[in-house]
Every structure is written in structure tokens, then in C-alpha cells.
Amino acid sequence: MSKRLDSKPRNDGFRMPGEHEPQEAVWMAWPERTDNWRYGGKPAQKTFTEVAKAISQSTPVTMIVSSEQFENARGQLPEGIRLVEMSTDDSWMRDIGPSYVVNDEGERRGIDWYFNAWGGLVDGLYYPWHNDDAVAQKVCEILGDHSYKAQIVLEGGSIHVDGEGTLYTTEECLLHESRNPDLTREEIEEVLCDHLSVDKVIWIPSGLYNDETNGHVDNLIHVVRPGEVILTWCDDEMDPQYDLSRSALDALLTQKDAKGRSIKVHKIPMPGPLFITEEEASGVDMSDGMERVPGERLAGSYANYLVTNDQIVYPLLDKDHDAEVEAILNELYPGYRITGVNAREILLGGGNIHCITQQIPAVK
């Protein structure tokens, strides 16, 4: 029986594992929001199905789906993918699902952060968001896992951890006025350290250019292994990403991780730049919060991949770079299955494969 705990994970001996550690399952949520996904989500649903199929080669997948879409999702998804009926406001499982912590005895617990649709009433992408905010606790209860309610607004995509005490994030997101304006950087760090058992927070100034999440770190970098990260790189001096990538590199190279290691940085090319076409924009309902207009710059990034049980599921975004990225991933992850999925439809909704997935760590 799952219950809410009043203690702190760190005091209880729990830490957040790295994504490279063993996983029991990956959870996703079915897309249907018509002011984000074009044509009622139909093209996105096909892509989410392909992502789920790819992951299920290595890890069982559970898909959250609304009652209205249940039959449709069941018809599109393979039998082996479990469906759970649940209300959501959209389908970014990384940000609405629980972050998990584990201990040395083989137990796991969920962290339930406050969610405000990437900015609440300041610059949030939609209102209301109460269904999304309730997802993390529901997942913990379904799985029978105890949970902690963290007293800050935070999305899972705004942090990366290495499992050995280091957390990576961006100042642009965590220090944004729309998240926790009453807290200082030090107070936010304290909450992260208490809840995830990290000892060092590596602050990167900004995320990817025009990222509507206020610069989530998972759209800029990925942790390959402790002491080693991949960074989205841009060589075009005229591109606004050029300076942002260099500032990120400088931040990574001038800080040590929790174990005192210098951080090794591998550069991965930026796709495109990519833009919404007229045809793509025409299928989306108008919205107050989300820019889905022709010519809008998409925050495309190959760093937005999922690591799951010796497999990498990464987005195919640009035929000029897809093969090069596959070669880089093969080199960085020897022995891993490298699976590419055409992911433009996810990108059109504002994120990518890492954003729509949430891993559940395996326990004894």
C-alpha cells in the first residue's frame, strides 16, 4: 500500500539513479490535445506508437490514456504495451510523472513535484493543468510505491542526474520567475539535494534557443555516464544557438562534478535549424500559450533521447545529421542497441523522445 511520507529522501537513504541504471518500465501518455498536436493528435499518435514499440524491445511500456481515447489507443498499440486509463492535460510524461529515488536495499519511492504547465499564470503553456499535476501521485499509487511531495515547482525534463551525486540544470529554467520566485538559488539547491541526494548542482546558463519550457536541460545535454555528457552544438556563428552552446560548454568545463571529476563533453550536431511549415501549422487549433504558426523555430535536439536498459531510443530529425548522430551514439554507448524513430511530430508539439517518457527504476 503506497503512502505519502513526511520525511526527506536523503535522510531516508534514497538517491535518484542515473538513466543508465536498470529500469523496470517506461511510462508514456497518449497525445490528443488539439491546440498542440495537429489533426487531433493523429500523426503524433502514430509517432508515440513507434516510440513505444522501440522502447518495448528492451523495457516494458505503460501508456496512460484518457477514457475517450482508450479504444483508439488500444487499436494502435501492440498488445504487449499496457494501457492505464487516467486523465491528463497533455502528454509530457517526463514533466508530469514522478521522479524516482532508490536505496541500497532495493526499494524505490517517487518524488511528486508541483507542476504548473511550464510557467503557471506568468507564461504557462495552457490552463488548467490540475490533471497533469495529479499524475505523479497516481502513478506511485498504481505501482504501490511510497512517495514524497516536494515543495517546489519542477519538471523532470529540467534536471539530469548521473546517479553519483551530480545534478545538471539550467539557470534559465529553475531560476525563472514563473517557477519558484520566492526561493533563492541556494534554497532550490537545498530542495534538490534533500530530495534526490545530490551533492553538486552544475548550473548551465541557458537551454536550447526558443525552447518554450524555459530551457529544459534535457533538450540541450544528456548524461552519458558519470563525469561525461553530450552537448548540442552549433557551428553557425549567425545562429542564436551558437553563443548558447558555447556558454554551456564553458559552464561544463569550468565546474567539477560531485566526485571532483572534470566533466568530459562530447559535441552532438544540432539538427536544421528546423521550422514549422504552413501545412503543419494549419492542422493545429489556436491557443493562447503555444506558438504553432508557420515559420516558428522548433527547438530540435538530438540530445533529447532516452536511455533504457542498454538501449538508446533517439529522434530522427534531419537527414543531413541522423546518420552522424547514430555513429556518435554507437561510439559513446558500446554494446547498446541504438534505435532511431522519426520524431518530427513530437518536436512539433514542443519536445522530443526524452520529454514523452519517464523511466521507473528496477528494484530487487
Side-chain angles (χ1 to χ4, degrees):
M1 189 73 179
S2 70
K3 64 182 178 188
R4 279 274 201 228
L5 302 167
D6 294 329
S7 51
K8 300 273 175 63
R10 175 166 223 146
N11 296 342
D12 295 343
F14 284 77
R15 67 172 178 94
M16 185 171 178
E19 210 169 296
H20 56 278
E21 296 183 51
Q23 298 172 17
E24 177 182 290
V26 170
W27 282 56
M28 299 174 63
W30 191 249
E32 59 175 290
R33 193 184 176 97
T34 57
D35 60 356
N36 191 28
W37 308 105
R38 63 194 185 121
Y39 304 122
K42 292 291 173 272
Q45 289 166 7
K46 285 188 169 57
T47 301
F48 274 57
T49 297
E50 291 307 308
V51 171
K53 282 181 183 170
I55 295 167
S56 67
Q57 297 175 97
S58 302
T59 310
V61 176
T62 294
M63 184 76 72
I64 288 173
V65 61
S66 69
S67 58
E68 293 81 9
Q69 282 286 314
F70 197 91
E71 288 304 319
N72 176 41
R74 186 67 284 167
Q76 293 194 55
L77 291 161
E79 279 181 17
I81 290 168
R82 180 174 72 154
L83 265 59
V84 170
E85 189 179 306
M86 192 185 294
S87 302
T88 62
D89 298 302
D90 204 358
S91 45
W92 303 103
M93 198 63 197
R94 177 69 48 184
D95 293 343
I96 63 177
S99 300
Y100 264 93
V101 290
V102 298
N103 69 7
D104 294 338
E105 276 72 62
E107 299 173 283
R108 72 168 178 238
R109 293 174 179 175
I111 312 289
D112 178 3
W113 315 98
Y114 283 101
F115 176 78
N116 72 353
W118 309 275
L121 300 178
V122 177
D123 66 345
L125 299 183
Y126 49 74
Y127 178 88
W129 52 77
H130 62 281
N131 290 316
D132 280 349
D133 192 33
V135 166
Q137 184 178 359
K138 290 178 181 177
V139 171
C140 292
E141 290 189 1
I142 287 167
L143 294 175
D145 295 326
H146 296 333
S147 64
Y148 304 89
K149 183 68 182 179
Q151 298 301 309
I152 61 169
V153 172
L154 186 123
E155 307 94 37
S158 69
I159 56 171
H160 263 312
V161 299
D162 69 354
E164 292 188 3
T166 307
L167 181 143
Y168 298 84
T169 191
T170 65
E171 296 173 349
E172 179 187 356
C173 185
L174 259 60
L175 303 185
H176 198 276
E177 61 175 352
S178 67
R179 297 312 198 278
N180 300 286
D182 300 334
L183 298 181
T184 64
R185 176 200 296 247
E186 290 71 29
E187 287 168 333
I188 291 169
E189 277 198 18
E190 186 179 346
V191 174
L192 294 171
C193 292
D194 281 347
H195 285 79
L196 304 175
S197 285
V198 292
D199 302 308
K200 179 70 181 283
V201 177
I202 304 280
W203 292 91
I204 299 169
S206 306
L208 210 66
Y209 174 69
N210 209 35
D211 185 341
E212 63 189 8
T213 65
N214 307 112
H216 271 189
V217 78
D218 74 344
N219 213 25
L220 179 74
I221 72 162
H222 208 304
V223 177
V224 179
R225 56 187 62 88
E228 222 170 306
V229 303
I230 218 166
L231 167 67
T232 302
W233 195 249
C234 172
D235 279 320
D236 178 2
E237 292 182 24
M238 304 308 292
D239 193 295
Q241 187 57 39
Y242 182 86
D243 287 336
L244 298 176
S245 288
R246 274 152 187 78
S247 296
L249 180 66
D250 185 57
L252 290 164
L253 294 181
T254 54
Q255 298 179 75
K256 296 274 198 290
D257 74 3
K259 300 291 188 196
R261 292 176 287 228
S262 296
I263 298 160
K264 187 174 183 182
V265 181
H266 305 277
K267 295 170 183 171
I268 198 166
M270 182 184 76
L274 306 171
F275 302 89
I276 299 180
T277 67
E278 193 133 354
E279 192 271 328
E280 288 166 340
S282 69
V284 185
D285 291 353
M286 292 304 290
S287 151
D288 289 336
M290 297 175 278
E291 292 291 336
R292 303 289 181 262
V293 295
E296 180 74 12
R297 169 86 172 248
L298 294 162
S301 167
Y302 288 110
N304 205 303
Y305 59 84
L306 174 72
V307 184
T308 179
N309 292 336
D310 296 339
Q311 183 185 13
I312 306 293
V313 183
Y314 80 102
L316 301 173
L317 295 168
D318 180 349
K319 62 183 188 309
D320 292 338
H321 292 298
D322 289 344
E324 178 189 353
V325 169
E326 182 180 9
I328 292 170
L329 293 171
N330 269 307
E331 190 176 330
L332 291 179
Y333 292 95
Y336 277 61
R337 181 202 301 252
I338 310 294
T339 311
V341 177
N342 285 309
R344 185 173 174 91
E345 289 298 334
I346 313 173
L347 178 57
L348 290 171
N352 227 291
I353 288 171
H354 195 258
C355 305
I356 65 168
T357 54
Q358 177 60 59
Q359 71 276 3
I360 310 295
V363 287
K364 291 169 189 164

